[in-house]
């Protein structure tokens, strides 16, 4: 362990950093301390719980039919490798700086306060929109199951996407409120609920994979990599940024189509980085954080690859359904029962996705408040449950209202760009902290630094460039708002700033 226990904050102005030692000492203040109750298994369950969502039930068919054919399995492998590069960087930081806040805390220790604020503000957007979008998606699956059982909600209570005019999604609203209560009551309860739900979700996925193996027709794999076709060009702000800047036009199918597909299926992996937000609540973070992050990513990659192989083997890729490929593939082979099983698995699975995204946001908000960048009122933990109950209740209620009133599917890509931006910052932070604090004890070390972090940055930036220019514009507006708030409040109230005055 480092012997430099009382290092002062380093740097000046906007790029002053908060030492790792000070970050860890802050976690020991009784009023601002979180309860340590999580193990490597809990963290792995959290990772699998947040990653396995609608992507495994929907995205496989869309990508296979429109972009990669049976080679969709290879696209998942490529996307998994990109995520693994980022995961290696997250694992080093999470074991070295076992403090709530994930990329926000990591960047505060390496790149400075302004960068930390920007990434924290970015994560608040990412997790808030992610939670709301998933809650609305969950509501849709539950309504479908209710309709099958003969129970029908009034259109006015089914959300703006269903109602003609005013609509309030009562199911999404109630889901977020219930999950908020669970998170307030404690991380161990949250972990137990997540474990049960993830077990059901993974069991459904395995049933689908095993059952589907008996209906595979090998002729459906021919051709495994279909001939390349030009991708329809976007126009204006709808076009990918890489097309507007470089004139590069991605292709569908062919070898390059696999990489185009990877930029799409990558978004099915979003969420594994949320595991890092629970570092402060882990019993042995130096050992268990790397295990939880990497194990959850490996499990999810294997499941995604297996599902894509099964679905493209059951039905030729040109005939796959875009909206419900797995369910419709089983209907095509005469087994509609599995369609209901898949819908049940998706509905159950989305509850954990929603809860863990909400957990991640509250921990980032809590960490920013404890540092003074947001009001310190939100950094006090519950005297009994040792959870950040104030930001959890505030954010839970706000997100519940957003999920109930707002149709935000068009904003979902903001979740993607926010995640990739966090990947870039964390990878750069690993390089910087290796140079500025080589004395730190690192229970896990990212291999081949700086090569792995540089590859992670390059891969993340490339995927960001493939997002629509409109997404970049919205993201830029959110960042500008964040910078204004930082200079109006955060900079002057920062605890580091107060120690210097």
């Amino acid at each position: 362990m480092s012997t430099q226990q009382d290092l002062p904050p380093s740097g000046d102005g906007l790029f002053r950093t908060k030492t790792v030692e000070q970050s860890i000492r802050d976690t020991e203040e009784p009023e601002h301390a979180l309860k340590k109750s999580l193990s490597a298994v809990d963290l792995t369950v959290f990772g699998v719980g947040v990653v396995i969502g609608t992507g495994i039930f929907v995205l496989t068919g869309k990508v296979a039919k429109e972009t990669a054919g049976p080679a969709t399995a290879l696209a998942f492998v490529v996307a998994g490798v990109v995520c693994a590069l980022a995961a290696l960087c997250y694992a080093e930081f999470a074991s070295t700086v076992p403090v709530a806040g994930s990329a926000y805390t990591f960047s505060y220790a390496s790149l400075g306060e302004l960068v930390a604020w920007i990434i924290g503000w970015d994560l608040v957007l990412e997790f808030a929109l992610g939670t709301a979008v998933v809650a609305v998606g969950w509501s849709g699956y539950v309504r479908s199951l209710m309709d099958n059982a003969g129970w029908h909600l009034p259109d006015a209570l089914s959300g703006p996407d269903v109602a003609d005019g005013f609509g309030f999604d009562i199911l999404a609203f109630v889901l977020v409120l219930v999950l908020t209560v669970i998170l307030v009551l404690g991380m161990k309860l949250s972990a137990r609920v997540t474990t049960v739900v993830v077990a059901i979700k993974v069991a459904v996925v395995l049933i689908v994979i095993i059952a589907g193996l008996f209906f595979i027709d090998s002729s459906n794999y021919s051709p495994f990599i279909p001939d390349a076709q030009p991708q329809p060009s976007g126009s204006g702000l709808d076009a990918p940024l890489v097309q507007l800047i470089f004139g590069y036009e991605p292709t569908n199918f062919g070898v390059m189509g696999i990489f185009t597909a990877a930029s799409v299926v990558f978004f099915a992996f979003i969420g594994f980085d949320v595991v890092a937000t629970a570092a402060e609540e882990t019993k042995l973070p130096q050992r268990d954080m790397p295990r939880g992050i990497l194990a959850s990513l490996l499990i999810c990659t294997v499941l995604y690859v297996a599902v894509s192989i099964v679905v493209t083997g059951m039905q030729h890729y040109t005939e796959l359904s875009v909206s419900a490929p797995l369910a419709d593939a089983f209907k095509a082979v005469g087994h509609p029962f599995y369609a209901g099983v898949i819908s049940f698995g998706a509905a159950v699975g989305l509850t954990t996705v929603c809860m863990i995204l909400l957990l991640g946001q509250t921990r980032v908000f809590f960490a920013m408040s404890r540092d003074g960048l947001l009001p310190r009122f939100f950094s006090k933990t519950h005297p009994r449950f040792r959870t950040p109950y104030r930001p959890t209740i505030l954010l839970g209620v706000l997100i519940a209202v957003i999920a109930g009133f707002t149709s935000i599917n068009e904003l979902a890509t903001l979740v993607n760009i926010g995640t990739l931006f966090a990947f870039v910052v964390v990878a750069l932070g690993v390089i910087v902290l290796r140079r500025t604090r080589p004395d730190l004890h690192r229970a896990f070390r990212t291999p081949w630094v700086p090569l792995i972090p540089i590859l992670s940055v390059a891969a993340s930036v490339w995927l960001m460039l493939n997002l629509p220019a409109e997404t970049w514009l919205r993201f830029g507006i959110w960042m500008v708002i964040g910078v204004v708030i930082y200079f109006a409040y955060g900079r002057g109230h920062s605890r580091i700033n107060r120690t210097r005055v």
Side-chain angles (χ1 to χ4, degrees):
M1 184 68 69
S2 170
T3 58
Q4 302 182 47
Q5 297 298 318
D6 297 301
L7 288 173
S10 62
D12 292 302
L14 302 179
F15 299 100
R16 55 199 177 199
T17 59
K18 181 180 180 182
T19 65
V20 173
E21 291 82 2
Q22 183 59 53
S23 294
I24 294 175
R25 279 200 298 274
D26 287 347
T27 69
E28 299 167 355
E29 298 175 356
E31 287 188 333
H32 308 285
L34 299 172
K35 184 178 180 180
K36 297 182 181 295
S37 60
L38 302 179
S39 65
V41 173
D42 293 326
L43 295 172
T44 302
V45 169
F46 275 148
V48 174
V50 74
V51 174
I52 301 295
T54 52
I56 201 166
F57 301 108
V58 177
L59 204 55
T60 47
K62 176 179 176 62
V63 171
K65 185 171 185 176
E66 299 177 358
T67 313
T72 297
L74 297 181
F76 274 113
V77 172
V78 172
V81 170
V82 172
C83 290
L85 294 173
L88 290 170
C89 298
Y90 270 89
E92 175 169 326
F93 258 128
S95 62
T96 306
V97 194
V99 177
S102 185
Y104 159 76
T105 299
F106 305 158
S107 56
Y108 211 158
S110 56
L111 300 174
E113 185 173 277
L114 178 60
V115 177
W117 167 268
I118 289 174
I119 196 65
W121 187 246
D122 161 58
L123 291 174
V124 166
L125 173 73
E126 173 193 340
F127 294 148
L129 289 182
T131 305
V133 169
V134 171
V136 172
W138 175 87
S139 173
Y141 276 106
V142 173
R143 287 199 308 273
S144 176
L145 290 172
M146 291 173 64
D147 290 342
N148 291 340
W151 304 335
H152 304 285
L153 278 177
D155 288 349
L157 295 179
S158 298
D161 287 334
V162 177
D164 184 11
F166 172 82
F168 181 77
D169 195 331
I170 187 66
L171 293 177
F173 177 80
V174 170
L175 172 68
V176 177
L177 291 185
V178 169
L179 296 179
T180 298
V181 172
I182 292 175
L183 289 175
V184 168
L185 293 178
M187 278 295 286
K188 198 59 186 177
L189 174 62
S190 305
R192 288 170 181 163
V193 171
T194 303
T195 300
V196 172
V197 175
V198 169
I200 295 172
K201 175 165 56 175
V202 172
V204 169
V205 173
L206 291 176
I207 289 172
V208 169
I209 293 171
I210 295 170
L213 289 174
F214 293 95
F215 304 109
I216 288 178
D217 181 350
S218 59
S219 64
N220 289 330
Y221 292 129
S222 180
F224 190 76
I225 302 179
D227 294 336
Q229 300 174 9
Q231 194 177 92
S233 299
S235 59
L237 293 178
D238 292 333
L241 191 63
V242 66
Q243 181 177 329
L244 297 179
I245 295 176
F246 303 109
Y248 168 78
E249 297 188 15
T251 62
N252 289 336
F253 306 111
V255 174
M256 292 306 298
I258 296 173
F259 293 96
T260 302
S263 68
V264 178
V265 301
F266 164 81
F267 306 127
F269 288 90
I270 282 177
F272 79 86
D273 55 317
V274 176
V275 176
T277 65
E280 193 174 325
E281 293 155 280
T282 303
K283 295 176 183 176
L284 297 171
Q286 289 81 4
R287 182 195 70 184
D288 291 343
M289 286 305 302
R291 292 181 179 182
I293 292 172
L294 297 172
S296 60
L297 181 59
L298 177 62
I299 291 170
C300 294
T301 302
V302 171
L303 290 177
Y304 277 147
V305 170
V307 166
S308 61
I309 289 174
V310 167
V311 74
T312 54
M314 291 178 64
Q315 200 173 16
H316 197 268
Y317 75 92
T318 58
E319 300 173 356
L320 285 172
S321 161
V322 172
S323 59
L326 281 178
D328 290 346
F330 277 104
K331 289 179 182 178
V333 295
H335 290 270
F337 165 78
Y338 288 103
V341 174
I342 291 166
S343 295
F344 172 75
V348 170
L350 288 181
T351 59
T352 58
V353 178
C354 194
M355 183 171 72
I356 299 168
L357 286 173
L358 181 58
L359 179 151
Q361 189 195 38
T362 58
R363 271 43 180 185
V364 173
F365 199 94
F366 169 79
M368 296 174 73
S369 172
R370 190 165 57 188
D371 289 333
L373 299 180
L374 290 172
R376 291 269 288 173
F377 171 83
F378 295 108
S379 66
K380 288 191 177 182
T381 54
H382 193 281
R384 177 183 175 187
F385 305 122
R386 309 310 302 171
T387 56
Y389 68 106
R390 290 173 176 175
T392 300
I393 294 172
L394 171 68
L395 296 170
V397 171
L398 286 176
I399 294 172
V401 172
I402 292 173
F405 279 111
T406 312
S407 176
I408 52 179
N409 291 331
E410 68 275 7
L411 299 180
T413 51
L414 280 172
V415 180
N416 306 331
I417 196 170
T419 300
L420 289 164
F421 182 60
F423 285 4
V424 171
V425 171
V426 170
L428 293 175
V430 167
I431 298 174
V432 172
L433 202 62
R434 283 282 189 99
R435 291 182 176 275
T436 58
R437 293 299 307 277
D439 57 296
L440 284 175
H441 173 70
R442 291 168 169 83
F444 178 89
R445 297 177 67 88
T446 303
W448 302 325
V449 173
L451 177 61
I452 293 295
I454 289 174
L455 289 175
S456 179
V457 170
S460 298
V461 169
W462 173 251
L463 294 180
M464 290 173 74
L465 290 174
N466 277 278
L467 292 171
E470 185 176 17
T471 300
W472 281 84
L473 179 61
R474 289 172 174 166
F475 183 66
I477 292 172
W478 178 256
M479 288 294 103
V480 169
I481 295 172
V483 170
V484 170
I485 293 175
Y486 171 73
F487 282 104
Y489 180 89
R491 188 184 185 194
H493 290 80
S494 166
R495 293 183 70 192
I496 285 182
N497 183 59
R498 292 187 174 188
T499 62
R500 291 178 173 276
V501 177

